[in-house]
Amino acid sequence: MLFEGAQAALLDVDHGTYPYTTSSNTLAGQIAAGAGVSPSAAGTILGIVKAYTTRVGAGPFPTELHDELGERLSRGGAGGRGAEFGTNTGRKRRCGWFDAVLVRQSIQISGVTSMVLTKLDVLDTFETVRLCIGYQIDGQTLDYLPARLCDAMRVTPVYEEMDGWRCSTQGIRGWARLPLAAMRYVRRIEELAGVPIALLGTSPQRDDTILLRDPFA
């Protein structure tokens, strides 16, 4: 039996970036109360994560890109990659570099056991790619997003830079066919997140997926 959540972990009304949240609980633990099953029913919890980070609406977003790179991530069609617009509202999503701090925090509060990494192909044209590995605020380095909103809005990202692969990964369905730089990027995300990546998406098409390991085994 599969239970699917429709909203991101940090939109959770209790554990998200309040008040920039939805009005309900979105974490995996809500399955028990919402569906009327035992808390132990969820044996495998898959976290769906993009190869970069996005957010809809206002709220803290340390790695947000306000330049041409952010535009390349968000827009679709010629010259754009991500087509980052809301399915129902058409509202443009804010885009930025992969935030390993937020992902790790989301994994912890939802008990994620493995990840599905999507939209790797969106980064195909970038000469370098960045990963946020921490935050700085008032001379301190943090490995979590501060609970106080006023602090969360002030943090600045600490980046790790990697070489881009500058060739198409779109539609690739085998791990060995990926460029080496893309492999290194995926494995680094895995290391920073602390859980394995089970599935890797390389296009909007459902079948363009690389199975790295069986998440249910």
Side-chain angles (χ1 to χ4, degrees):
M1 186 178 294
L2 176 67
F3 297 95
E4 181 181 4
Q7 292 178 303
L10 292 180
L11 293 179
D12 187 273
V13 68
D14 292 320
H15 303 284
T17 53
Y18 187 85
Y20 301 103
T21 63
T22 188
S23 59
S24 60
N25 294 110
T26 62
L27 302 183
Q30 177 62 17
I31 292 170
V37 297
S38 165
S40 61
T44 297
I45 302 175
L46 281 171
I48 314 300
V49 183
K50 293 175 185 174
Y52 50 97
T53 298
T54 65
R55 180 173 188 133
V56 175
F61 190 171
T63 67
E64 183 175 9
L65 293 169
H66 299 280
D67 56 11
E68 187 270 338
L69 295 180
E71 283 296 313
R72 281 168 62 189
L73 286 174
S74 69
R75 68 178 182 261
R81 302 297 300 178
E84 290 293 351
F85 299 91
T87 304
N88 295 318
T89 65
R91 184 165 51 161
K92 182 179 177 181
R93 296 190 183 103
R94 300 157 65 193
C95 297
W97 295 119
F98 185 91
D99 193 330
V101 180
L102 289 186
V103 169
R104 189 166 55 244
Q105 194 161 317
S106 300
I107 285 170
Q108 290 170 347
I109 60 179
S110 265
V112 169
T113 52
S114 59
M115 291 188 297
V116 179
L117 189 69
T118 66
K119 306 189 82 166
L120 181 69
D121 59 298
V122 174
L123 299 175
D124 283 350
T125 62
F126 289 80
E127 293 187 6
T128 59
V129 288
R130 286 182 164 189
L131 297 157
C132 174
I133 59 174
Y135 302 135
Q136 285 189 336
I137 182 172
D138 298 331
Q140 292 184 311
T141 300
L142 306 178
D143 61 356
Y144 60 90
L145 186 70
R148 292 201 312 170
L149 183 64
C150 60
D151 291 334
M153 297 291 279
R154 291 194 304 117
V155 298
T156 57
V158 178
Y159 284 122
E160 179 177 298
E161 194 168 277
M162 302 183 71
D163 291 333
W165 38 100
R166 289 163 290 178
C167 60
S168 178
T169 62
Q170 191 169 43
I172 290 179
R173 300 181 184 181
W175 173 254
R177 293 182 56 205
L178 288 175
L180 183 58
M183 291 182 179
R184 288 173 176 161
Y185 182 73
V186 172
R187 290 308 186 198
R188 184 58 179 145
I189 286 177
E190 202 171 43
E191 290 173 1
L192 292 169
V195 296
I197 294 173
L199 296 157
L200 180 62
T202 59
S203 93
Q205 302 304 314
R206 183 175 298 179
D207 290 337
D208 291 338
T209 301
I210 300 172
L211 178 65
L212 299 179
R213 54 174 55 82
D214 184 352
F216 305 107

